[in-house]
Amino acid sequence: MNKLKEKISQYGRWHPLQVYISRIEVHLDDDFSISIENAKALLESIGKEICKSKGLTLKSDSSVNGVLKNAFAALGYPKDEMIAQISSSLANIGQHIGALRNTIGSSSHGKSLEELQKRNEKINDMTKYFLIDSIELIACLLIELFEGENIQIESLPDLVYEDCDDFNEYWDDIYGEFSMGDYSYTASEILYNNDISAYKSEYNSYKADELNNNEK
């Protein structure tokens, strides 16, 4: 996982992830269940750190898939953007990793001695390295997007107020309109025109909540 190691070395905040990388690499051949357990934890840690840093609260029972989807949403990619569609596919890999962990894990459920001995035979070497490479790709992408380092994806345009009707209606239903003499403005208009950063943050949280609701 050299690419991820290089990425971590550039940004101090991600250094604690080294413990997961070490466990993944050490047990890759002799006990892949430990590698996949730590791969799952690696993705969850990155996703949760991004959500926390962006002020997005996750449900306590969020799946790996849910954490990753919310992480991309917290980074500002709505569902109709290409990167969001790609991230959804990547997030599905995370979900399958969780399922695989339960299948081959040595401690998730009690197993017979024969099951313990054969559990690693359920996945071949080609699949192992494909999964680990995919995990590394997702991890590097998330960190790059978060840190803003040489992003090769086209930058999202600034939010246009008229393109956010669903969020505007949601915000206005909560806070209504404000009148000043002969003038009247909706809450969403005021937020957009006076603090665009706050508007974007609330918009991203709204979209992330939509993702959570769609998972139910």
Side-chain angles (χ1 to χ4, degrees):
M1 306 189 81
N2 291 330
K3 291 180 181 178
L4 183 55
K5 289 178 183 177
E6 291 176 7
K7 190 62 56 186
I8 289 173
S9 69
Q10 297 174 24
Y11 304 109
R13 88 159 60 224
W14 304 104
H15 183 73
L17 297 178
Q18 289 281 5
V19 65
Y20 295 131
I21 295 174
S22 296
R23 292 170 183 170
I24 290 169
E25 292 182 330
V26 167
H27 297 285
L28 190 57
D29 295 319
D30 65 2
D31 195 339
F32 190 62
S33 66
I34 296 178
S35 294
I36 210 68
E37 173 74 27
N38 282 275
K40 174 178 175 289
L42 173 73
L43 292 179
E44 286 180 323
S45 292
I46 295 173
K48 288 179 178 179
E49 176 65 20
I50 290 173
C51 290
K52 178 182 177 182
S53 297
K54 295 294 185 179
L56 176 61
T57 302
L58 294 169
K59 294 183 178 180
S60 59
D61 59 349
S62 292
S63 63
V64 184
N65 183 285
V67 171
L68 294 179
K69 283 186 176 180
N70 277 288
F72 279 105
L75 288 168
Y77 295 98
K79 290 185 292 184
D80 57 348
E81 292 290 338
M82 179 182 68
I83 185 61
Q85 296 173 15
I86 295 173
S87 71
S88 178
S89 298
L90 293 175
N92 285 332
I93 295 176
Q95 187 68 19
H96 289 303
I97 288 171
L100 178 62
R101 182 279 312 269
N102 292 333
T103 299
I104 68 174
S106 60
S107 59
S108 57
H109 302 287
K111 297 181 183 295
S112 68
L113 296 180
E114 182 179 5
E115 288 174 327
L116 285 172
Q117 185 175 359
K118 292 184 176 181
R119 70 186 187 280
N120 281 320
E121 297 175 6
K122 294 181 179 180
I123 182 169
N124 60 41
D125 287 343
M126 183 68 72
T127 305
K128 286 181 183 179
Y129 289 103
F130 169 76
L131 285 172
I132 296 304
D133 287 346
S134 297
I135 291 161
E136 184 177 33
L137 172 63
I138 299 169
C140 287
L141 176 62
L142 281 168
I143 291 174
E144 279 197 16
L145 292 176
F146 180 77
E147 299 291 351
E149 178 211 359
N150 299 322
I151 301 176
Q152 299 299 315
I153 301 169
E154 181 180 354
S155 297
L156 286 174
D158 288 337
L159 286 176
V160 177
Y161 179 80
E162 290 76 12
D163 293 339
C164 305
D165 287 342
D166 53 345
F167 168 72
N168 294 335
E169 290 178 5
Y170 160 80
W171 195 255
D172 294 340
D173 284 343
I174 296 175
Y175 299 106
E177 293 188 2
F178 294 84
S179 298
M180 292 168 280
D182 296 331
Y183 304 97
S184 179
Y185 301 95
T186 63
S188 58
E189 287 180 290
I190 294 172
L191 185 63
Y192 182 87
N193 289 295
N194 286 276
D195 193 339
I196 188 61
S197 295
Y199 183 91
K200 288 180 178 180
S201 178
E202 294 296 340
Y203 176 85
N204 291 337
S205 295
Y206 170 77
K207 288 299 183 180
D209 287 341
E210 275 192 339
L211 287 176
N212 272 333
N213 292 332
N214 289 337
E215 289 177 3
K216 294 180 180 179

